[in-house]
Amino acid sequence: MQRTPPTPRGARANPALAQRAQSLRAFNRLYTRRIGVIGERVLDSPYSLAETRVLWELAHAADAPDAPSAPARAAPRGTAGTAGAGVTASTLAQTLGLDAGYLSRLLASLRRRGLVLASADREDRRRQHLRLSAAGRRAFAPLERRSQQQMSALLAPLSEAQQRELLAATERVGALLADTGPAQSRKAPAAAAAAEARDAPAAPLRLRPPVPGDMGWVVSRHGAIYAQEYGWDWRFEALVARIAADFIDRFEPKREACWIAERGTAGAAERLGCVFLVQARDETTGAVEPGTAQLRMLLVEAATRGQGLGKRLVDECERFARAHGYRRIRLWTNSVLLAARGIYEAAGYRLVAKEKHRSFGKQLVGETWELEL
């Protein structure tokens, strides 16, 4: 059986959380009915949902070979000599969140039917590696085909825009729930983590120039994130809106740039961050300061932090500035933005000035940093 995570402390006393749980359960009932997993068997096959998922994991194991690597002699049914390929039962249990005893019974049934082979580990013969037999691969092939057909049929009635919206929503759900599973799943070894990643393959993170709709996102996310994380009021959002409008009105593509970071499948990408590089201007007259670029509005979504995106965006600004003949880059930030300050300092920026100010409903310390090119 599947392990059930404990109820979070205080969840029962939180009526809002209880209502949200009810809504999530309603969605679960809708979706499980739509994909046909309520019955005892899946996809018109003789296999249960749990058996089907075990077959999927073994079929997609990164190190699963097409045949035993070196069986020394004929092995009993359900074994594969001494070959060391495949995944272990403990890895499967962690990947699927299944009780070890229940998984053992599932595997025993699949082995009796000749669908799964086990091979002893060369270093520790008490540990066995599991993989699909030729019969197991033949049994799994129609399951894979029917599952693909089922999802295609689910998408087909939707318009192109609705399909993109649905895919974006599923990617977002996957990202939100990726690190909130039971403790044993979070502590799974690299092989289990890789198996989970295969369930929702992520497209590479890319940087691109802005398109219509991006500026609205930049303003909205700055306002929401800084309000949530620092308690800044909507006057900060107004400032970001003015900067974005000025960027559009004054834009000179040979001297200025904006990068939007995104990840996701075509048509369903999720924006994850941004940065702007503009010509520095005198705050009073608006006159351009020759040779000086200004880095503005660096933003990285919380779910993507710690993966090097902030550094990548800052590095892109430096690369552009050097290529276009700037002598220095200047930026203005605040002392409370510790992560951003760390990125700037690591990139070689120097703190050249600071001043106290009250803005956005908070008492702050503004800082000016510069990088000589």
Side-chain angles (χ1 to χ4, degrees):
M1 65 181 64
Q2 192 164 26
R3 300 185 182 100
T4 302
T7 301
R9 184 179 300 174
R12 296 179 181 177
N14 186 334
L17 183 61
Q19 182 58 50
R20 292 165 190 158
Q22 291 282 3
S23 298
L24 194 57
R25 291 172 60 196
F27 171 78
N28 287 343
R29 291 191 296 272
L30 167 68
Y31 189 63
T32 52
R33 178 175 59 83
R34 290 296 301 273
I35 64 174
V37 296
I38 296 178
E40 293 185 3
R41 298 292 179 258
V42 174
L43 297 170
D44 299 321
S45 75
Y47 309 111
S48 68
L49 176 59
E51 289 171 332
T52 302
R53 187 61 196 275
V54 168
L55 293 174
W56 191 97
E57 290 295 334
L58 294 179
H60 291 82
D63 56 351
D66 290 335
S69 57
R73 55 185 177 274
R77 182 177 179 86
T79 70
T82 58
V87 296
T88 65
S90 60
T91 295
L92 272 179
Q94 291 171 319
T95 300
L96 299 176
L98 292 177
D99 175 78
Y102 177 60
L103 177 61
S104 179
R105 293 190 294 274
L106 279 177
L107 291 171
S109 174
L110 294 171
R111 290 175 65 182
R112 283 195 301 271
R113 286 179 274 177
L115 304 177
V116 172
L117 299 175
S119 56
D121 188 276
R122 291 187 176 92
E123 297 181 356
D124 183 354
R125 298 188 64 82
R126 295 171 299 177
R127 184 170 58 188
Q128 292 187 324
H129 294 266
L130 306 166
R131 59 187 178 83
L132 293 184
S133 65
R137 292 194 294 274
R138 289 194 299 270
F140 176 73
L143 294 175
E144 181 86 337
R145 184 174 60 253
R146 291 171 197 162
S147 179
Q148 182 71 17
Q149 292 170 345
Q150 183 188 60
M151 291 299 103
S152 297
L154 194 66
L155 290 167
L158 304 178
S159 67
E160 182 71 19
Q162 288 173 324
Q163 290 183 22
R164 290 197 299 269
E165 182 180 1
L166 178 61
L167 291 175
T170 58
E171 288 185 0
R172 183 58 178 157
V173 169
L176 288 171
L177 298 182
D179 297 322
T180 59
Q184 66 272 12
S185 295
R186 293 198 301 272
K187 297 178 181 178
E196 288 191 7
R198 289 195 303 273
D199 272 336
L205 191 150
R206 56 188 172 272
L207 304 184
R208 60 165 177 79
V211 297
D214 283 334
M215 293 303 162
W217 174 83
V218 168
V219 175
S220 172
R221 294 308 296 154
H222 270 83
I225 289 173
Y226 279 81
Q228 179 181 5
E229 298 184 6
Y230 300 100
W232 294 6
D233 63 27
W234 60 359
R235 283 171 287 189
F236 176 68
E237 191 169 354
L239 172 63
V240 175
R242 285 192 292 272
I243 295 172
D246 286 343
F247 176 80
I248 295 171
D249 291 341
R250 298 170 172 174
F251 181 55
E252 294 186 24
K254 294 183 178 180
R255 303 293 292 165
E256 300 174 319
C258 165
W259 294 270
I260 303 294
E262 68 176 14
R263 173 182 286 146
T265 55
E270 180 184 12
R271 301 179 186 96
L272 299 172
C274 65
V275 73
F276 292 69
L277 190 77
V278 301
Q279 300 179 91
R281 294 176 180 270
D282 184 276
E283 293 185 0
T284 303
T285 66
V288 171
E289 296 185 30
T292 302
Q294 185 170 3
L295 186 155
R296 311 203 75 168
M297 298 196 297
L298 173 67
L299 182 77
V300 176
E301 290 282 359
T304 317
R305 293 172 194 168
Q307 301 177 27
L309 176 56
K311 178 182 183 300
R312 183 177 171 185
L313 289 167
V314 171
D315 288 348
E316 194 68 18
C317 288
E318 180 180 345
R319 183 200 61 77
F320 182 94
R322 289 184 183 277
H324 291 78
Y326 284 106
R327 297 191 299 272
R328 73 181 59 84
I329 302 175
R330 179 183 301 147
L331 64 89
W332 181 81
T333 186
N334 283 277
S335 61
V336 296
L337 307 182
L338 299 179
R341 292 173 80 253
I343 293 172
Y344 302 142
E345 188 169 12
Y349 285 77
R350 295 185 305 107
L351 176 62
V352 298
K354 61 171 61 177
E355 62 176 346
K356 294 180 180 180
H357 65 102
R358 183 168 182 82
S359 303
F360 325 127
K362 297 290 182 179
Q363 196 67 39
L364 301 168
V365 178
E367 297 180 343
T368 301
W369 294 67
E370 288 187 352
L371 174 68
E372 297 294 331
L373 301 177

